[in-house]
């Protein structure tokens, strides 16, 4: 389901429906805008509240929810991954770091590493439709509402981590982090995040930064880099038109098995 904030966006969404079979809905509570939102401008902040509203609406209707920002390319079906590791909630990585994706943050196994939680990004989120998960999302929304009265720059991503670390523990939920090798971010350096499976259970490596693949001399990444990815998120990629160019590059490279420029970082 795609949520449109304007009639023009709704029309564009419906025009793609015959190809992808998705649903389109209009949220007319928000003033439509074109181009990019500035960090912490009014529309950026309102989007944070809207995002949680959409998630809570889905959960309250009894549906598991996968929430994706719009600057994401889905390359392969992620549902087997989401459902195959027992998590009640998933969050994605802000940085290319080594953390086990099969352990809940509150598990004895993870606690034995004595590591801080990784920096999380909420561009890709999963929520199982249970009472405990729904309660935590409701608490996330209410914390946003209570803080904005004296903190106008309240940020949904910041509050997500603050609330969930406590709420998931109280309700004994499995809150886990997505493997950054499969759920890639344009904030990762070079052509994506990479490390070995053994690193995820090595106490000396867990919590450490990992290096990404290097692009070629033309700044391109190869199918060897992105062929196994499930998703790619495009923060740290400039304005909307710049993101669109990089996203198009990844789509063409993935489906044509050719190298492509998919990042502003050519290191």
């Amino acid at each position: 389901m795609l949520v449109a904030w304007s009639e023009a966006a709704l029309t564009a969404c419906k025009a793609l429906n015959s190809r992808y079979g998705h649903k389109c809905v209009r949220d007319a509570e928000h003033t439509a805008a074109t181009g990019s939102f500035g960090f912490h401008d009014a529309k950026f902040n309102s989007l944070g509240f809207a995002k949680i509203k959409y998630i809570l609406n889905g959960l309250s209707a009894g549906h598991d929810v996968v929430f994706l920002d719009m600057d994401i390319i889905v390359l392969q079906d992620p549902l087997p991954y989401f459902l195959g590791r027992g998590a009640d909630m998933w969050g994605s990585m802000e940085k290319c770091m080594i953390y086990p994706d099969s352990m809940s943050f509150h598990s004895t196994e993870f606690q034995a590493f004595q590591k801080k939680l990784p920096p999380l990004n909420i561009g890709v989120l999963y929520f199982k439709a249970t009472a405990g998960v729904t309660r935590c999302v409701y608490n996330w929304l209410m914390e946003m509402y209570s803080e904005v009265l004296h903190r106008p720059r309240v940020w949904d991503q910041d509050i997500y981590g603050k609330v969930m670390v406590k709420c998931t523990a109280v309700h004994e939920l499995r809150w886990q982090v997505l493997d950054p090798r499969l759920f890639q971010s344009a904030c990762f350096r070079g052509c994506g995040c990479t490390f070995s499976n053994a690193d995820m259970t090595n106490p000396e490596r867990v919590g450490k930064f990992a290096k990404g693949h290097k692009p070629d001399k033309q700044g391109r990444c190869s199918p060897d880099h992105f062929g196994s990815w499930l998703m790619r998120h495009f923060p740290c990629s400039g304005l909307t038109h710049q993101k669109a160019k990089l996203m198009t590059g990844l789509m063409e490279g993935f489906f044509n098995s050719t190298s492509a420029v998919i990042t502003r970082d050519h290191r």
Side-chain angles (χ1 to χ4, degrees):
M1 180 178 68
L2 296 179
V3 182
W5 280 17
S6 69
E7 288 293 344
L10 184 64
T11 299
C13 180
K14 289 180 177 179
L16 295 170
N17 185 261
S18 62
R19 182 175 178 183
Y20 296 106
H22 56 279
K23 302 295 183 181
C24 306
V25 297
R26 170 81 195 281
D27 184 355
E29 292 183 345
H30 302 277
T31 302
T34 58
S36 299
F37 292 172
F39 187 55
H40 279 312
D41 68 14
K43 292 182 175 62
F44 177 94
N45 289 346
S46 68
L47 182 60
F49 283 92
K51 177 185 297 188
I52 308 173
K53 175 179 68 176
Y54 304 147
I55 294 168
L56 188 58
N57 281 344
L59 290 172
S60 65
H63 301 296
D64 290 3
V65 175
V66 177
F67 183 91
L68 307 177
D69 281 352
M70 287 299 294
D71 57 342
I72 287 176
I73 297 291
V74 179
L75 300 169
Q76 301 182 65
D77 184 1
L79 289 181
Y81 179 98
F82 287 137
L83 300 176
R85 288 164 172 78
D88 295 301
M89 291 174 44
W90 287 107
S92 53
M93 298 278 279
E94 180 77 4
K95 301 179 183 298
C96 177
M97 300 179 74
I98 302 168
Y99 280 85
D101 66 338
S102 60
M103 297 181 188
S104 169
F105 289 137
H106 304 299
S107 67
T108 302
E109 295 86 351
F110 181 80
Q111 296 296 326
F113 288 123
Q114 298 183 328
K115 304 292 183 178
K116 294 181 179 179
L117 267 62
L120 296 172
N121 185 285
I122 59 173
V124 181
L125 295 171
Y126 168 83
F127 303 89
K128 185 180 290 186
T130 66
V133 170
T134 304
R135 180 66 175 266
C136 287
V137 174
Y138 180 78
N139 287 347
W140 181 19
L141 182 62
M142 292 308 298
E143 185 69 19
M144 289 275 291
Y145 177 76
S146 65
E147 288 201 21
V148 77
L149 300 175
H150 57 81
R151 183 185 167 198
R153 291 191 171 188
V154 65
W155 188 18
D156 54 343
Q157 182 165 291
D158 175 51
I159 303 301
Y160 170 83
K162 175 183 174 181
V163 167
M164 294 308 175
V165 69
K166 298 178 181 179
C167 190
T168 54
V170 169
H171 292 284
E172 300 182 346
L173 302 175
R174 289 186 63 93
W175 182 33
Q176 298 173 196
V177 67
L178 297 168
D179 187 338
R181 298 171 299 174
L182 300 176
F183 296 84
Q184 294 276 350
S185 170
C187 291
F188 303 162
R189 298 182 63 177
C191 292
C193 189
T194 181
F195 48 85
S196 72
N197 288 335
D199 287 336
M200 290 196 290
T201 56
N202 183 346
E204 298 299 321
R205 294 289 289 149
V206 170
K208 301 291 186 181
F209 286 94
K211 295 182 179 179
H213 297 290
K214 292 184 178 180
D216 65 18
K217 293 182 179 179
Q218 286 75 45
R220 300 175 303 179
C221 301
S222 81
D224 290 338
H225 300 146
F226 51 70
S228 63
W229 298 356
L230 298 182
M231 294 184 190
R232 166 85 162 181
H233 188 197
F234 284 84
C236 306
S237 300
L239 300 177
T240 301
H241 71 280
Q242 296 168 310
K243 290 186 178 188
K245 185 176 181 180
L246 297 175
M247 293 169 76
T248 300
L250 177 58
M251 288 283 287
E252 293 176 349
F254 184 84
F255 289 108
N256 297 326
S257 296
T258 57
S259 295
V261 175
I262 65 171
T263 177
R264 295 200 303 173
D265 182 2
H266 289 177
R267 291 169 288 182

